[in-house]
Amino acid sequence: PAIQDLVGQHWVITAGPTMEAIDPVRYISNHSSGKMGYALAAAAQARGAKVTLVSGPTNLDAPQGVQRLAIKSAEDMLAACRDAMATPADVFIGAAAVADFRMKDIAAQKMKKTGDSDEMQLTLVKNPDVIATLSQENAAKCMVGFAAETQDVIAYAKSKLQRKGLDLIIANDVSRTDIGFNNDENQVTVLSKDQQWTPPKEAKAALAVELVELITQYQSTQS
Ligand code: C5P
């Protein structure tokens, strides 16, 4: 078992996709598996942290000893995170793939194929940015985000770090088919405002252990 050095800390971690209802039977979502967020939750829990995992719909079991709040939409995710932070958080990690948009109005009844038109239009509105909102509210001492990019990975991640008011951002190149989305392995670069680290490509569970260590070390340099 890992050293219990995170006893007394509360980590709040988002994971998985969000699911935005279109009508009672349809939704907008994405292919996030939730594996990275769940692995991070397990790794922080193993070191003794109290972990709240705010999770969209996934096929994964909650890691042992982790409290899971199951949500569907981005708005629900934000509300659940705020609830979780009733116990003040030391670390917040946004590993969820939050849908950028939701329906302006969710249809109360199943939408029908109408008349002879071959087109239909849905009006979407922007979802709240969960991590940026929480960061503005000083929700946790250490705010950690993810940046999935297909080009100029480091530059885009850095601007996201600043724009969202984060302490650390974990960047990965999702144009690579050997890592990332729905894959068991991942390779990332972790950036703070003035430093960067690149752990080796490895299984998400092993990478999660390294990321929890990196975050813990970063925290200790800040306090
Ligand atoms: O802007 P982008 O979606 O690339 O940012 C990714 C980071 O922001 C991730 O940490 C993700 O969990 C978080 N995010 C969020 N709420 C959104 C969009 C992204 O918390 N609506």
Side-chain angles (χ1 to χ4, degrees), residues 20-29 101-114 117-126:
E20 312 294 333
I22 296 173
D23 68 14
V25 298
R26 304 185 178 94
Y27 58 83
I28 298 169
S29 192
F101 292 91
R102 67 175 182 277
M103 287 285 281
K104 181 158 184 279
D105 299 296
I106 299 171
Q109 306 298 333
K110 184 181 172 191
M111 294 170 79
K112 307 302 285 179
K113 297 184 277 282
T114 44
S117 175
D118 285 338
E119 292 186 4
M120 82 163 312
Q121 285 177 354
L122 301 177
T123 303
L124 305 180
V125 293
K126 225 183 197 146

Side-chain angles (χ1 to χ4, degrees), residues 14 74 77 92-101 127-134 144-149 160 163-164 166 169-170:
T14 68
M77 179 173 277
F92 176 90
I93 309 175
V98 183
D100 291 322
F101 292 91
N127 264 329
D129 191 305
V130 175
I131 200 168
T133 305
L134 293 171
V144 185
F146 273 79
E149 307 291 349
K160 214 164 272 187
R163 181 159 38 84
K164 301 196 184 209
L166 308 180
I169 196 151
I170 302 168

Side-chain angles (χ1 to χ4, degrees), residues 27-90:
Y27 58 83
I28 298 169
S29 192
N30 61 66
H31 290 293
S32 169
S33 66
K35 282 175 189 163
M36 197 65 237
Y38 276 59
L40 288 163
Q45 196 279 334
R47 287 173 65 161
K50 169 186 156 72
V51 178
T52 309
L53 181 60
V54 180
S55 176
T58 72
N59 291 322
L60 306 173
D61 294 326
Q64 273 279 319
V66 166
Q67 192 196 355
R68 176 166 60 183
L69 304 178
I71 53 82
K72 291 210 169 86
S73 69
E75 288 182 304
D76 292 348
M77 179 173 277
L78 178 57
C81 289
R82 285 180 172 142
D83 286 350
M85 282 156 172
T87 305
D90 296 277

Side-chain angles (χ1 to χ4, degrees), residues 7-22:
V7 170
Q9 289 203 18
H10 182 206
W11 290 40
V12 177
I13 301 173
T14 68
T18 66
M19 191 184 266
E20 312 294 333
I22 296 173

